[in-house]
């Protein structure tokens, strides 16, 4: 990611980022002074599909 | 699912409508249901002698000598190993106990009555900090203190509580939250409030000025005196929720030093257990993590009702004491626990968080879905018997307990 704002024109202006998933992406952007928010998110039931299906049937 | 939602609404209604009152102090043999001679109630889910940790075995040896069932600690250990003592969890007898949680026939028990449900719950009196039986201490100093609690403090408190008609605990907790307590690792405000409430009645009912002076000094010097009262209160609040059809609300969390166990309203008195985790925290001078025992005690009943780690935002000072980070981070713990709870308590609020109610009603579905497990503020015992407390910290409830409970509740509800 270029740190010079003039090089960000391909995205039409200054970049503000919301990152979901791997935190490393957010860290990299933050280190280049790009405003970024890391969403604290995990797959439901830690990615256990059987438990996630049960929870869905239990009202979540 | 409607049955679960209805069950949880009823569970929260029972929690919030509870009216716990500290009414008496009574010898365990007179009041704890099912407690017998040569029987020891312990903290946590059921466990056999051979699987108990060092401090639990140390406390058991000490309490056997205290009760006069053996002449010394070696004979007591032989007696326990030979199967001559019956063990059972406090939770199976309407009781709770901190850390090792020793309850035996001659100990004076705090009696908390839930005026709404009419049920009662019991807990022994807090012994103070350092080398004490709940942390596995068992020498003559520890036993002498227990004898004084049995012979002087317990009867003195019981007489005063009967004379004054008891202490209402709900408003006392509300005041304590506004004074910086979270009621697990910080009870300094509530202990002071209890002393203020009971002192004049103790003076009025005491016939011995020296004994009265010693009793008042003991309470004054123990910042954690209120913990055991909060625990009996927690048990009295949660027991009426123990069998609500469909409810996914946790009714008890508890540890025996080997396993962590939870109970859930919709699955009755069944335990869901997993290996207990090590606390992360700060140690007293001269001790390190290598000295620590895995987490233990029934005191997690405090978190079960929305206090302790759940009310960390009320007690920034405790965040530093238990090594949970900066004081400014305390509110984050409370917000995070709010994500796994079904409601908030409008009567127990945190002024520094714009009077947010403490998170109330841990929902096993939310724990498993979010991956957020309950945060518990806890004391740390030395791993060897006879030493006592070596620090304080934070420990997480094992996710495996909640996953088992979700599967079992689904099975009970015919969901597959």
């Amino acid at each position: 990611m270029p740190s010079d704002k003039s090089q960000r024109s391909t995205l039409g202006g200054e970049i503000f980022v919301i990152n979901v998933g791997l935190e490393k992406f957010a860290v990299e952007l933050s280190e280049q002074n790009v405003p970024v928010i890391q969403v604290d998110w995990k797959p439901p039931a830690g990615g256990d599909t059987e438990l996630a299906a049960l929870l869905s049937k239990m009202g979540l | 699912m409607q049955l679960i939602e209805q069950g949880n609404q009823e569970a929260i209604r029972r929690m919030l409508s509870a009216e716990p009152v500290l009414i008496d102090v009574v010898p365990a043999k007179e009041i704890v249901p099912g407690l017998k001679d040569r029987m020891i109630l312990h903290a946590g889910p059921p466990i056999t002698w051979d699987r108990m940790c060092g401090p639990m075995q140390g406390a058991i040896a000490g309490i056997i000598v205290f009760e006069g069932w053996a002449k010394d600690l070696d004979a007591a250990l032989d007696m326990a190993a030979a199967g001559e003592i019956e063990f059972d969890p406090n939770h199976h007898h309407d009781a709770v106990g901190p850390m090792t949680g020793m309850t035996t026939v001659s100990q004076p028990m705090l009696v908390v009555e839930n005026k709404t449900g009419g049920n009662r719950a019991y807990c022994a009196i807090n012994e103070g900090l350092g080398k004490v039986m709940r942390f596995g201490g068992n020498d003559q100093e520890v036993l002498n203190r227990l004898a004084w609690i049995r012979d002087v403090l317990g009867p003195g408190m019981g007489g005063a509580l009967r004379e004054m008609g008891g202490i209402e605990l709900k408003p006392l907790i509300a005041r304590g939250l506004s004074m910086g307590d979270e009621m697990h690792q910080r009870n300094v405000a509530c202990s002071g409030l209890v002393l203020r409430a009971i002192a004049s009645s103790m003076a009025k009912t005491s016939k011995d000025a020296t004994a009265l002076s010693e009793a008042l000094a003991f309470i004054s010097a123990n910042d954690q005196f209120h913990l055991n009262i909060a625990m009996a209160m927690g048990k009295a609040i949660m027991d009426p929720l123990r069998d609500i059809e469909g409810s996914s609300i946790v009714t008890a969390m508890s540890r025996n030093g080997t396993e962590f166990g939870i109970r859930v309203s919709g699955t009755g008195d069944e335990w869901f257990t997993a290996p207990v985790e090590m606390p992360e925290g700060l140690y007293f001078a001269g001790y390190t993590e290598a000295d620590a025992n895995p987490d233990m005690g029934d005191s997690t009943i405090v978190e079960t009702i929305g206090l302790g780690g759940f009310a960390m935002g009320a007690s920034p000072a405790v965040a530093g004491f238990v090594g949970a980070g900066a004081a400014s981070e305390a509110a984050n713990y409370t917000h995070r626990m709010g994500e796994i709870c079904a409601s908030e308590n409008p009567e127990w609020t945190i002024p520094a968080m714009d009077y947010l109610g403490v998170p109330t009603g841990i929902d096993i579905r939310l724990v498993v879905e979010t991956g957020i497990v309950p945060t518990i503020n806890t004391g740390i015992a030395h791993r060897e018997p006879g030493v006592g407390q070596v620090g304080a910290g934070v420990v997480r409830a094992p996710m495996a307990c909640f996953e088992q409970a979700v599967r079992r509740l689904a099975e009970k509800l015919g969901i597959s």
Side-chain angles (χ1 to χ4, degrees):
Chain A
M1 176 61 64
S3 55
D4 183 351
K5 288 183 182 178
S6 67
Q7 294 178 45
R8 300 177 189 166
S9 57
T10 51
L11 292 174
E14 193 167 357
I15 302 169
F16 298 89
V17 178
I18 298 172
N19 187 57
V20 181
L22 290 178
E23 194 170 0
K24 184 166 175 54
F25 292 128
V27 172
E28 292 285 340
L29 291 166
S30 181
E31 285 176 356
Q32 297 180 67
N33 299 318
V34 175
V36 57
I37 292 173
Q38 171 68 22
V39 176
D40 187 7
W41 182 86
K42 293 176 188 170
D48 184 324
T49 52
E50 177 241 340
L51 264 176
L54 272 184
L55 290 171
S56 178
K57 293 173 185 170
M58 294 170 81
L60 288 185
Chain B
M1 185 179 188
Q2 196 172 4
L3 189 59
I4 296 176
E5 300 309 325
Q6 287 174 346
N8 287 352
Q9 283 177 17
E10 175 60 15
I12 297 299
R13 188 194 68 75
R14 293 186 195 181
M15 281 183 78
L16 297 180
S17 65
E19 293 291 345
V21 180
L22 176 62
I23 60 168
D24 208 343
V25 176
V26 178
K29 63 188 171 196
E30 297 175 19
I31 200 154
V32 175
L35 181 62
K36 299 177 290 192
D37 197 41
R38 302 212 172 198
M39 181 180 197
I40 297 175
L41 308 185
H42 59 78
I47 188 168
T48 52
W49 170 258
D50 57 306
R51 297 186 64 240
M52 290 179 186
C53 63
M56 182 74 85
Q57 291 191 341
I60 282 171
I63 205 74
I64 287 173
V65 174
F66 173 74
E67 290 289 354
W69 301 334
K71 65 179 188 330
D72 57 35
L73 295 174
D74 287 340
L77 289 168
D78 291 342
M79 179 181 268
E84 294 174 32
I85 301 293
E86 187 176 349
F87 300 116
D88 217 15
N90 282 304
H91 268 290
H92 294 187
H93 297 262
D94 300 346
V96 280
M99 298 306 289
T100 56
M102 298 291 98
T103 303
T104 49
V105 285
S106 69
Q107 292 192 73
M109 303 297 284
L110 300 157
V111 182
V112 172
E113 183 169 297
N114 178 355
K115 297 291 184 184
T116 306
N119 60 298
R120 292 181 175 184
Y122 313 102
C123 188
I125 294 173
N126 192 283
E127 310 160 73
L129 297 174
K131 190 167 62 175
V132 289
M133 182 158 286
R134 73 177 184 279
F135 284 100
N138 58 14
D139 67 10
Q140 199 57 48
E141 177 189 344
V142 173
L143 300 188
N144 288 346
R145 188 187 304 111
L146 283 179
W148 176 81
I149 290 173
R150 177 193 63 201
D151 298 334
V152 178
L153 181 61
M157 283 186 66
L161 287 165
R162 292 190 295 275
E163 190 274 337
M164 68 188 290
I167 299 174
E168 291 186 20
L169 295 174
K170 236 176 169 175
L172 187 135
I173 295 292
R175 292 194 71 187
L177 284 167
S178 72
M179 297 166 73
D181 279 0
E182 41 72 85
M183 291 89 191
H184 197 161
Q185 284 304 306
R186 191 176 194 273
N187 278 280
V188 61
C190 283
S191 298
L193 293 171
V194 167
L195 180 63
R196 264 174 44 162
I198 202 172
S200 65
S201 288
M202 285 180 71
K204 196 184 294 182
T205 53
S206 174
K207 297 180 176 65
D208 182 337
T210 302
L212 172 66
S213 173
E214 289 173 358
L216 295 176
F218 180 84
I219 299 172
S220 302
N222 183 1
D223 287 351
Q224 282 289 75
F225 186 78
H226 176 264
L227 170 61
N228 296 31
I229 298 171
M231 289 175 59
M233 174 190 72
K235 179 73 172 160
I237 290 173
M238 295 311 298
D239 268 358
L241 279 69
R242 267 167 49 192
D243 201 7
I244 301 173
E245 187 181 11
S247 174
S248 54
I249 300 298
V250 174
T251 57
M253 299 191 289
S254 186
R255 317 84 93 194
N256 56 31
T258 303
E259 290 173 325
F260 193 110
I262 68 168
R263 285 167 144 182
V264 176
S265 179
T267 55
D269 288 342
E270 191 172 342
W271 288 100
F272 304 99
T273 63
V276 72
E277 298 191 7
M278 290 294 292
E280 294 177 9
L282 301 176
Y283 290 85
F284 300 159
Y287 296 105
T288 69
E289 192 174 336
D291 299 308
N293 195 74
D295 192 36
M296 63 179 173
D298 292 327
S299 53
T300 17
I301 195 71
V302 170
E303 273 79 9
T304 313
I305 57 171
L307 302 174
F310 285 56
M312 193 94 87
S315 187
V318 96
F321 176 64
V322 299
S328 58
E329 294 174 22
N332 293 341
Y333 282 88
T334 295
H335 282 308
R336 200 162 173 80
M337 294 302 99
E339 292 190 37
I340 56 173
C341 287
S343 188
E344 296 165 5
N345 189 327
E347 293 181 278
W348 287 349
T349 62
I350 300 175
M353 297 180 72
D354 295 330
Y355 292 93
L356 178 73
V358 298
T360 299
I362 303 166
D363 187 334
I364 55 170
R365 299 174 305 168
L366 294 174
V367 173
V368 174
E369 188 200 39
T370 62
I372 299 171
V373 291
T375 296
I376 296 146
N377 294 346
T378 188
I380 304 174
H382 197 285
R383 62 192 310 149
E384 300 296 334
V387 180
Q389 183 175 8
V390 295
V394 170
V395 71
R396 294 175 306 168
M399 178 60 80
C401 300
F402 298 89
E403 292 174 346
Q404 290 170 41
V406 162
R407 288 194 172 95
R408 179 73 181 111
L409 182 61
E411 183 186 345
K412 276 197 81 170
L413 296 173
I415 298 169
S416 59

